[in-house]
Amino acid sequence: MKKRTKIFISIIFAISLFFTVLAIIPPKKAISNNPFIIEEGSRPLIAAHRGGKLLNPENTFKAMDYSVNELKVDILEMDLCITSDKHLILNHNDTINSCTDVEVINGSNDKYYIREHTLNELRQFNFGYNFTQDNVTYPYRNLLDNVSEDNRYQVLKENRLSVITIEELFLEYKATNLLYIIEIKDSGDLGYEAADILYQIMKQYDMINRVAIGTFNTEVEEYLIVKYPDTIRGGSVGGVTNFVLTQMLGVNIFDKSSFACLQIPTSRKAFGVEIKLDCKTFINRAHRRNISVQFWTINDKEEMKRLIELGADVIMTDCPDVMVELLNEMEL
């Protein structure tokens, strides 16, 4: 009986030692130089989600200008959709119904898909039309009253409420040190086209090392890995899931993720179970691979503070003003 007990204890010890060694072995770095990762003890980078969508109309220059010029954010976060004439515009959805006056102008609530329309067609719509901070007042709804169709775009442009292309965005802030988090929304062939166009524009404006590209579409992620290995990428759902699982099991040596930015919420449900992702262990292990840990979308000051104390590199927020206020309070 004692012999069996000794054998059992030896097996348990060997297994424990094996997993301990796996957890200790330094994993390969995902990227040698990561501009989205902070030095230990430094303040996190502020990412204005959609330009700061609770402060100004999302994905417009009115939002971007305020976050960049007034709040001095470090990062602009946005989504890109491809138009029928192959321009990449800033918009969260693949339609513009939720943020513009398209239904009023067209007299229909039919979905107005970006991929089915040209840039010039999209320039006719007011991208601040549905913005509200109190769900009662809509400060930009009357902007185009008595404005002729020929002058709509000019008025919208002057008021910083027209559609934005990624080229226009890069050009506007070329003199700054801004970083960018960009998600490609389209999937399949359109996603590949968007990746090709984005890469060429990034090269043109010398943005390869200042943009983190993300996508929820695994096929587009794989396309980026193969065709544009020099880009900085955020993880897809599959890549992030694999990373989280290997870290939970303490076998980080088996994590082969090639993304440089772990963009995650503080928790996520899987198989009906709530999994906490705001863990110091995850952050430390990501940092061992030189992966930036970026939490979204954080609008509560106390939650921001907790994530700062955990060592988060980037906090994406709809309210960058709250983040700025907190950093001042913390003297960071």
Side-chain angles (χ1 to χ4, degrees):
M1 190 69 178
K2 288 184 178 181
K3 186 176 181 181
R4 288 182 180 177
T5 301
K6 286 182 178 180
I7 292 172
F8 178 75
I9 292 173
S10 297
I11 291 172
I12 295 299
F13 176 77
I15 292 172
S16 300
L17 181 62
F18 174 73
F19 279 96
T20 299
V21 170
L22 288 181
I24 292 174
I25 295 174
K28 180 181 177 182
K29 290 187 181 298
I31 185 174
S32 58
N33 181 30
N34 192 340
F36 292 89
I37 201 167
I38 62 171
E39 293 184 8
E40 188 172 352
S42 299
R43 74 163 181 84
L45 302 176
I46 308 172
H49 183 243
R50 307 189 206 175
K53 79 182 198 73
L54 292 184
L55 305 180
N56 288 286
E58 64 183 67
N59 291 314
T60 65
F61 272 129
K62 186 170 285 290
M64 304 295 178
D65 285 346
Y66 184 75
S67 288
V68 173
N69 300 327
E70 301 299 324
L71 300 178
K72 311 298 183 185
V73 301
D74 308 288
I75 303 170
L76 292 177
E77 187 278 345
M78 71 217 64
D79 307 272
L80 295 183
C81 298
I82 193 168
T83 66
S84 64
D85 53 347
K86 309 309 176 188
H87 290 277
L88 297 178
I89 70 156
L90 279 61
N91 205 67
H92 180 259
N93 300 325
D94 60 356
T95 65
I96 63 168
N97 295 65
S98 64
C99 57
T100 73
D101 53 352
V102 62
E103 294 180 3
V104 175
I105 300 301
N106 289 350
S108 167
N109 60 2
D110 291 344
K111 296 296 184 183
Y112 197 92
Y113 288 97
I114 293 167
R115 62 179 176 269
E116 296 176 354
H117 297 278
T118 67
L119 175 60
N120 281 337
E121 288 171 335
L122 293 163
R123 281 177 168 163
Q124 297 303 307
F125 300 107
N126 179 358
F127 277 73
Y129 186 79
N130 283 326
F131 173 76
T132 177
Q133 290 182 319
D134 56 13
N135 293 315
V136 176
T137 56
Y138 295 82
Y140 307 111
R141 282 201 169 172
N142 298 323
L143 179 65
L144 296 174
D145 286 358
N146 303 316
V147 174
S148 68
E149 186 175 333
D150 291 341
N151 292 325
R152 285 177 63 89
Y153 173 59
Q154 188 59 37
V155 172
L156 290 168
K157 186 178 180 182
E158 289 171 356
N159 283 273
R160 313 295 271 172
L161 291 171
S162 64
V163 66
I164 306 176
T165 68
I166 191 61
E167 288 177 282
E168 290 170 337
L169 189 75
F170 287 162
L171 187 61
E172 183 72 20
Y173 304 121
K174 66 179 181 179
T176 72
N177 294 317
L178 277 171
L179 299 174
Y180 301 86
I181 295 173
I182 294 175
E183 181 184 331
I184 295 174
K185 296 295 285 191
D186 294 288
S187 59
D189 290 340
L190 282 180
Y192 303 151
E193 278 191 90
D196 292 337
I197 295 167
L198 176 59
Y199 184 80
Q200 293 307 315
I201 294 172
M202 287 165 56
K203 280 192 68 176
Q204 178 184 347
Y205 289 91
D206 194 25
M207 290 287 176
I208 300 295
N209 295 317
R210 290 171 58 185
V211 174
I213 307 175
T215 176
F216 277 95
N217 303 298
T218 302
E219 76 278 7
V220 177
E221 179 190 40
E222 292 172 351
Y223 184 79
L224 287 166
I225 291 171
V226 173
K227 194 162 184 182
Y228 305 114
D230 57 335
T231 55
I232 299 172
R233 290 182 299 97
S236 68
V237 173
V240 170
T241 300
N242 181 69
F243 176 87
V244 169
L245 287 175
T246 58
Q247 306 319 309
M248 288 178 68
L249 296 172
V251 288
N252 52 290
I253 195 172
F254 293 131
D255 173 43
K256 304 300 180 184
S257 304
S258 61
F259 57 79
C261 301
L262 182 67
Q263 297 163 340
I264 51 177
T266 54
S267 65
R268 174 59 64 87
K269 271 195 173 181
F271 308 108
V273 178
E274 191 80 15
I275 299 175
K276 282 180 60 64
L277 301 177
D278 51 348
C279 302
K280 184 66 174 174
T281 302
F282 287 169
I283 295 173
N284 289 344
R285 287 178 175 166
H287 285 171
R288 291 181 70 194
R289 297 207 54 214
N290 212 30
I291 293 173
S292 168
V293 181
Q294 308 177 353
F295 287 98
W296 53 265
T297 304
I298 313 301
N299 296 329
D300 177 76
K301 185 185 283 190
E302 288 305 311
E303 190 170 26
M304 290 175 180
K305 184 177 181 181
R306 183 171 58 82
L307 294 174
I308 291 171
E309 291 170 346
L310 282 175
D313 297 291
V314 176
I315 294 180
M316 300 186 213
T317 177
D318 297 321
C319 308
D321 58 331
V322 175
M323 184 73 178
V324 169
E325 183 179 277
L326 174 61
L327 292 177
N328 288 333
E329 290 173 359
M330 297 178 70
E331 298 184 348
L332 290 174

Short mmCIF file of all heavy atoms in Angstrom, two decimals, residues 36-88:
data_model
loop_
_atom_site.label_atom_id
_atom_site.label_comp_id
_atom_site.label_asym_id
_atom_site.label_seq_id
_atom_site.Cartn_x
_atom_site.Cartn_y
_atom_site.Cartn_z
N PHE A 36 2.39 49.73 -28.70
CA PHE A 36 1.14 49.73 -27.94
C PHE A 36 1.32 49.18 -26.53
O PHE A 36 0.35 48.98 -25.82
CB PHE A 36 0.07 48.92 -28.68
CG PHE A 36 -0.38 49.56 -29.96
CD1 PHE A 36 0.26 49.30 -31.16
CD2 PHE A 36 -1.46 50.44 -29.98
CE1 PHE A 36 -0.16 49.88 -32.35
CE2 PHE A 36 -1.88 51.04 -31.15
CZ PHE A 36 -1.23 50.76 -32.34
N ILE A 37 2.56 48.92 -26.14
CA ILE A 37 2.81 48.40 -24.80
C ILE A 37 3.53 49.46 -23.99
O ILE A 37 4.38 50.19 -24.52
CB ILE A 37 3.63 47.08 -24.88
CG1 ILE A 37 3.48 46.26 -23.59
CG2 ILE A 37 5.08 47.33 -25.19
CD1 ILE A 37 3.99 44.83 -23.70
N ILE A 38 3.18 49.60 -22.72
CA ILE A 38 3.77 50.64 -21.88
C ILE A 38 4.86 50.05 -21.00
O ILE A 38 4.89 48.85 -20.74
CB ILE A 38 2.70 51.33 -21.00
CG1 ILE A 38 2.06 50.31 -20.05
CG2 ILE A 38 1.66 52.02 -21.85
CD1 ILE A 38 1.16 50.92 -18.99
N GLU A 39 5.74 50.91 -20.53
CA GLU A 39 6.74 50.48 -19.56
C GLU A 39 6.05 50.30 -18.21
O GLU A 39 5.09 50.99 -17.88
CB GLU A 39 7.84 51.52 -19.44
CG GLU A 39 8.70 51.66 -20.69
CD GLU A 39 9.84 52.64 -20.48
OE1 GLU A 39 10.05 53.08 -19.33
OE2 GLU A 39 10.51 52.96 -21.48
N GLU A 40 6.55 49.36 -17.43
CA GLU A 40 5.95 49.08 -16.14
C GLU A 40 5.93 50.35 -15.28
O GLU A 40 6.94 51.05 -15.15
CB GLU A 40 6.74 47.98 -15.42
CG GLU A 40 6.08 47.49 -14.15
CD GLU A 40 6.76 46.28 -13.55
OE1 GLU A 40 7.66 45.72 -14.21
OE2 GLU A 40 6.38 45.90 -12.43
N GLY A 41 4.77 50.65 -14.72
CA GLY A 41 4.63 51.83 -13.88
C GLY A 41 4.19 53.07 -14.63
O GLY A 41 3.87 54.09 -13.99
N SER A 42 4.18 53.00 -15.96
CA SER A 42 3.74 54.15 -16.76
C SER A 42 2.22 54.19 -16.85
O SER A 42 1.54 53.20 -16.58
CB SER A 42 4.33 54.08 -18.17
OG SER A 42 5.74 54.09 -18.13
N ARG A 43 1.71 55.33 -17.24
CA ARG A 43 0.26 55.43 -17.40
C ARG A 43 -0.17 54.68 -18.66
O ARG A 43 0.59 54.60 -19.64
CB ARG A 43 -0.17 56.90 -17.48
CG ARG A 43 0.15 57.60 -18.80
CD ARG A 43 -0.68 58.88 -18.91
NE ARG A 43 -0.46 59.60 -20.15
CZ ARG A 43 -1.09 59.33 -21.30
NH1 ARG A 43 -1.93 58.31 -21.38
NH2 ARG A 43 -0.85 60.05 -22.37
N PRO A 44 -1.39 54.15 -18.68
CA PRO A 44 -1.87 53.46 -19.88
C PRO A 44 -2.16 54.44 -21.01
O PRO A 44 -2.32 55.64 -20.79
CB PRO A 44 -3.16 52.79 -19.40
CG PRO A 44 -3.64 53.68 -18.29
CD PRO A 44 -2.39 54.17 -17.61
N LEU A 45 -2.23 53.92 -22.20
CA LEU A 45 -2.58 54.73 -23.37
C LEU A 45 -4.10 54.86 -23.45
O LEU A 45 -4.83 53.89 -23.22
CB LEU A 45 -2.04 54.07 -24.64
CG LEU A 45 -0.53 53.82 -24.67
CD1 LEU A 45 -0.14 53.09 -25.95
CD2 LEU A 45 0.24 55.12 -24.55
N ILE A 46 -4.56 56.05 -23.79
CA ILE A 46 -5.99 56.31 -23.91
C ILE A 46 -6.39 56.12 -25.37
O ILE A 46 -5.86 56.79 -26.26
CB ILE A 46 -6.36 57.74 -23.49
CG1 ILE A 46 -5.81 58.05 -22.10
CG2 ILE A 46 -7.87 57.93 -23.53
CD1 ILE A 46 -5.97 59.52 -21.71
N ALA A 47 -7.34 55.23 -25.60
CA ALA A 47 -7.86 55.01 -26.96
C ALA A 47 -9.30 55.51 -27.02
O ALA A 47 -10.17 55.01 -26.31
CB ALA A 47 -7.81 53.53 -27.33
N ALA A 48 -9.53 56.51 -27.86
CA ALA A 48 -10.88 57.07 -28.02
C ALA A 48 -11.67 56.15 -28.95
O ALA A 48 -11.45 56.12 -30.16
CB ALA A 48 -10.80 58.47 -28.60
N HIS A 49 -12.59 55.39 -28.36
CA HIS A 49 -13.40 54.42 -29.09
C HIS A 49 -14.36 55.14 -30.04
O HIS A 49 -15.18 55.94 -29.61
CB HIS A 49 -14.18 53.58 -28.08
CG HIS A 49 -15.00 52.49 -28.69
ND1 HIS A 49 -16.37 52.45 -28.58
CD2 HIS A 49 -14.65 51.40 -29.41
CE1 HIS A 49 -16.82 51.38 -29.20
NE2 HIS A 49 -15.81 50.72 -29.71
N ARG A 50 -14.19 54.87 -31.34
CA ARG A 50 -14.94 55.57 -32.40
C ARG A 50 -14.77 57.08 -32.31
O ARG A 50 -15.64 57.85 -32.69
CB ARG A 50 -16.42 55.20 -32.36
CG ARG A 50 -16.70 53.70 -32.39
CD ARG A 50 -18.18 53.42 -32.57
NE ARG A 50 -18.55 52.13 -32.01
CZ ARG A 50 -19.78 51.65 -31.93
NH1 ARG A 50 -20.79 52.39 -32.40
NH2 ARG A 50 -20.04 50.48 -31.40
N GLY A 51 -13.62 57.49 -31.77
CA GLY A 51 -13.34 58.91 -31.61
C GLY A 51 -13.85 59.50 -30.31
O GLY A 51 -13.60 60.67 -30.01
N GLY A 52 -14.54 58.69 -29.49
CA GLY A 52 -15.17 59.18 -28.26
C GLY A 52 -16.64 59.37 -28.48
O GLY A 52 -17.16 60.49 -28.46
N LYS A 53 -17.36 58.26 -28.69
CA LYS A 53 -18.71 58.33 -29.25
C LYS A 53 -19.78 58.87 -28.29
O LYS A 53 -20.87 59.22 -28.74
CB LYS A 53 -19.14 56.96 -29.78
CG LYS A 53 -19.59 55.95 -28.77
CD LYS A 53 -19.93 54.63 -29.46
CE LYS A 53 -20.78 53.72 -28.62
NZ LYS A 53 -22.17 54.17 -28.51
N LEU A 54 -19.49 58.96 -27.00
CA LEU A 54 -20.47 59.54 -26.09
C LEU A 54 -20.30 61.05 -25.94
O LEU A 54 -21.14 61.72 -25.35
CB LEU A 54 -20.40 58.86 -24.72
CG LEU A 54 -20.85 57.40 -24.68
CD1 LEU A 54 -20.84 56.88 -23.25
CD2 LEU A 54 -22.25 57.23 -25.28
N LEU A 55 -19.21 61.58 -26.49
CA LEU A 55 -18.95 63.01 -26.39
C LEU A 55 -19.33 63.76 -27.65
O LEU A 55 -19.75 64.91 -27.59
CB LEU A 55 -17.46 63.25 -26.09
CG LEU A 55 -16.88 62.55 -24.86
CD1 LEU A 55 -15.42 62.90 -24.70
CD2 LEU A 55 -17.67 62.93 -23.62
N ASN A 56 -19.16 63.10 -28.80
CA ASN A 56 -19.44 63.71 -30.10
C ASN A 56 -19.88 62.62 -31.08
O ASN A 56 -19.70 61.43 -30.80
CB ASN A 56 -18.18 64.40 -30.64
CG ASN A 56 -17.83 65.67 -29.89
OD1 ASN A 56 -18.49 66.69 -30.03
ND2 ASN A 56 -16.79 65.59 -29.06
N PRO A 57 -20.45 63.00 -32.21
CA PRO A 57 -20.89 62.00 -33.18
C PRO A 57 -19.74 61.06 -33.59
O PRO A 57 -18.68 61.52 -34.03
CB PRO A 57 -21.36 62.84 -34.37
CG PRO A 57 -21.79 64.13 -33.75
CD PRO A 57 -20.81 64.38 -32.65
N GLU A 58 -19.96 59.78 -33.41
CA GLU A 58 -18.90 58.79 -33.62
C GLU A 58 -18.36 58.79 -35.05
O GLU A 58 -19.08 59.03 -36.02
CB GLU A 58 -19.40 57.39 -33.29
CG GLU A 58 -20.53 56.90 -34.18
CD GLU A 58 -21.03 55.54 -33.74
OE1 GLU A 58 -21.62 55.44 -32.64
OE2 GLU A 58 -20.83 54.58 -34.51
N ASN A 59 -17.05 58.54 -35.14
CA ASN A 59 -16.36 58.39 -36.44
C ASN A 59 -16.44 59.62 -37.33
O ASN A 59 -16.38 59.52 -38.55
CB ASN A 59 -16.89 57.16 -37.19
CG ASN A 59 -16.49 55.86 -36.50
OD1 ASN A 59 -15.34 55.69 -36.11
ND2 ASN A 59 -17.45 54.96 -36.34
N THR A 60 -16.60 60.81 -36.71
CA THR A 60 -16.57 62.06 -37.46
C THR A 60 -15.34 62.86 -37.02
O THR A 60 -14.77 62.61 -35.95
CB THR A 60 -17.83 62.92 -37.21
OG1 THR A 60 -17.84 63.33 -35.82
CG2 THR A 60 -19.10 62.16 -37.53
N PHE A 61 -14.98 63.83 -37.82
CA PHE A 61 -13.87 64.69 -37.42
C PHE A 61 -14.23 65.53 -36.20
O PHE A 61 -13.35 65.96 -35.45
CB PHE A 61 -13.43 65.59 -38.58
CG PHE A 61 -12.39 64.96 -39.46
CD1 PHE A 61 -12.57 64.92 -40.84
CD2 PHE A 61 -11.23 64.41 -38.93
CE1 PHE A 61 -11.61 64.35 -41.66
CE2 PHE A 61 -10.27 63.84 -39.74
CZ PHE A 61 -10.45 63.80 -41.11
N LYS A 62 -15.51 65.78 -35.98
CA LYS A 62 -15.91 66.51 -34.78
C LYS A 62 -15.49 65.73 -33.53
O LYS A 62 -15.00 66.30 -32.55
CB LYS A 62 -17.42 66.79 -34.77
CG LYS A 62 -17.86 67.67 -33.60
CD LYS A 62 -19.28 68.12 -33.75
CE LYS A 62 -19.42 69.22 -34.79
NZ LYS A 62 -18.81 70.50 -34.32
N ALA A 63 -15.66 64.42 -33.58
CA ALA A 63 -15.25 63.56 -32.46
C ALA A 63 -13.73 63.44 -32.40
O ALA A 63 -13.12 63.58 -31.33
CB ALA A 63 -15.89 62.19 -32.60
N MET A 64 -13.12 63.15 -33.54
CA MET A 64 -11.67 62.95 -33.57
C MET A 64 -10.93 64.21 -33.14
O MET A 64 -9.98 64.15 -32.35
CB MET A 64 -11.23 62.54 -34.98
CG MET A 64 -11.93 61.31 -35.55
SD MET A 64 -11.54 59.80 -34.63
CE MET A 64 -12.57 58.59 -35.50
N ASP A 65 -11.34 65.36 -33.66
CA ASP A 65 -10.67 66.62 -33.33
C ASP A 65 -10.70 66.89 -31.82
O ASP A 65 -9.71 67.31 -31.23
CB ASP A 65 -11.34 67.79 -34.05
CG ASP A 65 -11.01 67.85 -35.53
OD1 ASP A 65 -10.06 67.16 -35.95
OD2 ASP A 65 -11.70 68.58 -36.27
N TYR A 66 -11.86 66.68 -31.21
CA TYR A 66 -11.98 66.95 -29.78
C TYR A 66 -11.07 66.03 -28.97
O TYR A 66 -10.37 66.48 -28.05
CB TYR A 66 -13.43 66.76 -29.33
CG TYR A 66 -13.64 67.13 -27.88
CD1 TYR A 66 -13.67 68.46 -27.49
CD2 TYR A 66 -13.79 66.15 -26.90
CE1 TYR A 66 -13.84 68.82 -26.15
CE2 TYR A 66 -13.95 66.48 -25.57
CZ TYR A 66 -13.98 67.81 -25.19
OH TYR A 66 -14.14 68.15 -23.87
N SER A 67 -11.05 64.74 -29.33
CA SER A 67 -10.22 63.80 -28.59
C SER A 67 -8.73 64.06 -28.79
O SER A 67 -7.94 63.94 -27.86
CB SER A 67 -10.56 62.36 -29.01
OG SER A 67 -11.82 61.99 -28.50
N VAL A 68 -8.36 64.43 -30.01
CA VAL A 68 -6.94 64.66 -30.32
C VAL A 68 -6.47 66.01 -29.81
O VAL A 68 -5.45 66.11 -29.11
CB VAL A 68 -6.69 64.56 -31.84
CG1 VAL A 68 -5.26 64.96 -32.18
CG2 VAL A 68 -6.97 63.14 -32.32
N ASN A 69 -7.20 67.06 -30.12
CA ASN A 69 -6.73 68.42 -29.84
C ASN A 69 -7.03 68.89 -28.42
O ASN A 69 -6.23 69.63 -27.83
CB ASN A 69 -7.35 69.40 -30.84
CG ASN A 69 -6.97 69.08 -32.27
OD1 ASN A 69 -5.88 68.60 -32.55
ND2 ASN A 69 -7.89 69.33 -33.19
N GLU A 70 -8.15 68.48 -27.86
CA GLU A 70 -8.54 68.94 -26.52
C GLU A 70 -8.12 67.96 -25.42
O GLU A 70 -7.63 68.36 -24.38
CB GLU A 70 -10.06 69.18 -26.46
CG GLU A 70 -10.57 70.20 -27.46
CD GLU A 70 -9.97 71.58 -27.27
OE1 GLU A 70 -9.72 71.97 -26.10
OE2 GLU A 70 -9.72 72.26 -28.29
N LEU A 71 -8.34 66.66 -25.68
CA LEU A 71 -8.06 65.67 -24.64
C LEU A 71 -6.69 65.03 -24.76
O LEU A 71 -6.23 64.34 -23.85
CB LEU A 71 -9.15 64.58 -24.67
CG LEU A 71 -10.57 65.08 -24.42
CD1 LEU A 71 -11.57 63.93 -24.53
CD2 LEU A 71 -10.69 65.75 -23.06
N LYS A 72 -6.05 65.23 -25.91
CA LYS A 72 -4.69 64.71 -26.14
C LYS A 72 -4.61 63.19 -25.97
O LYS A 72 -3.71 62.65 -25.32
CB LYS A 72 -3.68 65.37 -25.17
CG LYS A 72 -3.76 66.88 -25.11
CD LYS A 72 -3.46 67.54 -26.45
CE LYS A 72 -3.47 69.06 -26.34
NZ LYS A 72 -3.29 69.74 -27.65
N VAL A 73 -5.57 62.48 -26.55
CA VAL A 73 -5.56 61.02 -26.45
C VAL A 73 -4.35 60.46 -27.22
O VAL A 73 -3.75 61.14 -28.05
CB VAL A 73 -6.86 60.39 -27.01
CG1 VAL A 73 -8.06 60.91 -26.24
CG2 VAL A 73 -7.00 60.63 -28.51
N ASP A 74 -4.02 59.21 -26.93
CA ASP A 74 -2.87 58.56 -27.57
C ASP A 74 -3.25 57.79 -28.82
O ASP A 74 -2.43 57.62 -29.73
CB ASP A 74 -2.23 57.59 -26.57
CG ASP A 74 -1.91 58.24 -25.25
OD1 ASP A 74 -0.96 59.04 -25.21
OD2 ASP A 74 -2.63 57.97 -24.27
N ILE A 75 -4.50 57.30 -28.83
CA ILE A 75 -4.93 56.38 -29.89
C ILE A 75 -6.33 56.73 -30.35
O ILE A 75 -7.20 57.05 -29.53
CB ILE A 75 -4.94 54.91 -29.38
CG1 ILE A 75 -3.56 54.52 -28.83
CG2 ILE A 75 -5.37 53.95 -30.47
CD1 ILE A 75 -3.57 53.18 -28.09
N LEU A 76 -6.56 56.64 -31.65
CA LEU A 76 -7.91 56.69 -32.19
C LEU A 76 -8.31 55.29 -32.61
O LEU A 76 -7.56 54.60 -33.30
CB LEU A 76 -7.97 57.64 -33.40
CG LEU A 76 -7.77 59.13 -33.11
CD1 LEU A 76 -7.80 59.92 -34.41
CD2 LEU A 76 -8.83 59.66 -32.14
N GLU A 77 -9.50 54.88 -32.19
CA GLU A 77 -10.01 53.55 -32.53
C GLU A 77 -11.17 53.71 -33.49
O GLU A 77 -12.01 54.60 -33.32
CB GLU A 77 -10.47 52.81 -31.27
CG GLU A 77 -10.87 51.36 -31.48
CD GLU A 77 -12.30 51.16 -31.99
OE1 GLU A 77 -13.10 52.13 -31.93
OE2 GLU A 77 -12.61 50.05 -32.44
N MET A 78 -11.24 52.84 -34.50
CA MET A 78 -12.30 52.94 -35.51
C MET A 78 -12.49 51.62 -36.23
O MET A 78 -11.66 50.71 -36.14
CB MET A 78 -11.93 54.02 -36.53
CG MET A 78 -10.78 53.61 -37.44
SD MET A 78 -9.65 54.95 -37.86
CE MET A 78 -8.95 55.36 -36.27
N ASP A 79 -13.60 51.55 -36.99
CA ASP A 79 -13.87 50.42 -37.87
C ASP A 79 -13.89 50.94 -39.30
O ASP A 79 -14.29 52.09 -39.54
CB ASP A 79 -15.23 49.79 -37.55
CG ASP A 79 -15.36 49.45 -36.08
OD1 ASP A 79 -14.96 48.34 -35.72
OD2 ASP A 79 -15.86 50.29 -35.31
N LEU A 80 -13.48 50.10 -40.24
CA LEU A 80 -13.46 50.49 -41.64
C LEU A 80 -14.37 49.59 -42.47
O LEU A 80 -14.36 48.36 -42.31
CB LEU A 80 -12.04 50.42 -42.22
CG LEU A 80 -10.99 51.38 -41.66
CD1 LEU A 80 -9.69 51.20 -42.41
CD2 LEU A 80 -11.46 52.82 -41.72
N CYS A 81 -15.13 50.22 -43.36
CA CYS A 81 -15.98 49.49 -44.31
C CYS A 81 -15.61 49.95 -45.72
O CYS A 81 -15.26 51.11 -45.94
CB CYS A 81 -17.45 49.76 -44.04
SG CYS A 81 -18.02 49.22 -42.42
N ILE A 82 -15.74 49.05 -46.68
CA ILE A 82 -15.35 49.37 -48.06
C ILE A 82 -16.57 49.77 -48.88
O ILE A 82 -17.65 49.18 -48.76
CB ILE A 82 -14.63 48.14 -48.70
CG1 ILE A 82 -13.95 48.55 -50.01
CG2 ILE A 82 -15.57 46.97 -48.88
CD1 ILE A 82 -13.00 47.49 -50.53
N THR A 83 -16.42 50.83 -49.67
CA THR A 83 -17.51 51.32 -50.52
C THR A 83 -17.50 50.58 -51.86
O THR A 83 -16.56 49.86 -52.18
CB THR A 83 -17.36 52.83 -50.78
OG1 THR A 83 -16.18 53.05 -51.58
CG2 THR A 83 -17.25 53.60 -49.48
N SER A 84 -18.52 50.83 -52.65
CA SER A 84 -18.60 50.16 -53.96
C SER A 84 -17.49 50.61 -54.90
O SER A 84 -17.10 49.88 -55.81
CB SER A 84 -19.97 50.39 -54.62
OG SER A 84 -20.16 51.77 -54.89
N ASP A 85 -16.97 51.84 -54.69
CA ASP A 85 -15.87 52.32 -55.54
C ASP A 85 -14.52 52.21 -54.80
O ASP A 85 -13.57 52.92 -55.11
CB ASP A 85 -16.11 53.74 -56.03
CG ASP A 85 -16.43 54.73 -54.92
OD1 ASP A 85 -16.71 54.30 -53.79
OD2 ASP A 85 -16.40 55.95 -55.18
N LYS A 86 -14.46 51.32 -53.82
CA LYS A 86 -13.22 50.87 -53.17
C LYS A 86 -12.52 51.93 -52.34
O LYS A 86 -11.29 52.03 -52.32
CB LYS A 86 -12.25 50.30 -54.21
CG LYS A 86 -12.86 49.24 -55.11
CD LYS A 86 -13.58 48.14 -54.33
CE LYS A 86 -14.26 47.13 -55.24
NZ LYS A 86 -15.11 46.17 -54.51
N HIS A 87 -13.30 52.71 -51.60
CA HIS A 87 -12.74 53.59 -50.58
C HIS A 87 -13.02 52.95 -49.22
O HIS A 87 -14.03 52.25 -49.04
CB HIS A 87 -13.38 54.97 -50.64
CG HIS A 87 -12.98 55.76 -51.84
ND1 HIS A 87 -11.82 56.49 -51.91
CD2 HIS A 87 -13.61 55.94 -53.04
CE1 HIS A 87 -11.73 57.08 -53.09
NE2 HIS A 87 -12.80 56.77 -53.80
N LEU A 88 -12.15 53.21 -48.26
CA LEU A 88 -12.36 52.71 -46.90
C LEU A 88 -12.84 53.86 -46.04
O LEU A 88 -12.13 54.86 -45.86
CB LEU A 88 -11.06 52.14 -46.33
CG LEU A 88 -10.48 50.93 -47.05
CD1 LEU A 88 -9.16 50.51 -46.39
CD2 LEU A 88 -11.45 49.77 -47.06
#
